[in-house]
Amino acid sequence: EVQLVESGGGLVQPGGSLRLSCAASGFTFSKYSMTWVRQAPGKGLEWVSDINTSNRTSYADSVKGRFTISRDNAKNTLYLQMNSLKPEDTAVYYCTTPGKRPEGQGTQVTVSS
C-alpha cells in the first residue's frame, strides 16, 4: 500500500523557517518524481515544487528563492525547506507524485505574528 506521511508543519512568525518532511512507503521511492502542493483556506490546490529522479527541481514563482525541495532516497523521504515565510504561505502542505491528487493528511503551516 502506497503511503505518504507529511510532517513538520506548525505556527511560525513571518520571516521564519520550517522544514517539512514526507515519509514514503509502499513503492520504489527513488524511481519517482515527487511533488509538493498546498491548499490555502478556501482555495484550491496549488503546485509548489517538483523534484525528479535526477534531483532536477522546479518551483512556483511564489516560492522561488525561498523554498528548497530535496530528497533522501536512502530514507525514502522528501523534504521542503521553507525560509522567509510569508502569511500567504499559510496552507496545508501535501506531498504526492506529479499529476496525482494528494491522499495524505498533509501538514498545516501557519505563518502569523
Side-chain angles (χ1 to χ4, degrees):
E1 178 188 2
V2 173
Q3 279 198 323
L4 295 168
V5 180
E6 303 92 346
S7 62
L11 173 63
V12 63
Q13 291 187 343
S17 298
L18 284 173
R19 188 195 197 201
L20 306 185
S21 298
C22 170
S25 61
F27 65 105
T28 307
F29 178 74
S30 61
K31 293 186 177 181
Y32 285 81
S33 296
M34 296 297 296
T35 294
W36 284 101
V37 298
R38 67 187 181 184
Q39 187 165 24
K43 296 188 177 181
L45 286 171
E46 176 190 15
W47 171 72
V48 174
S49 181
D50 281 340
I51 185 167
N52 71 7
T53 56
S54 300
N55 286 327
R56 181 174 180 176
T57 60
S58 55
Y59 299 93
D61 287 344
S62 59
V63 307
K64 198 173 294 182
R66 300 188 298 120
F67 290 11
T68 302
I69 190 172
S70 62
R71 65 192 300 162
D72 185 335
N73 290 336
K75 295 182 178 180
N76 289 343
T77 302
L78 178 72
Y79 301 101
L80 186 67
Q81 177 68 43
M82 306 188 297
N83 299 329
S84 303
L85 282 161
K86 304 176 181 180
E88 51 264 44
D89 295 318
T90 295
V92 178
Y93 285 71
Y94 302 90
C95 63
T96 184
T97 51
K100 185 176 181 183
R101 189 168 187 84
E103 296 179 347
Q105 295 296 311
T107 187
Q108 175 71 49
V109 171
T110 302
V111 184
S112 175
S113 55

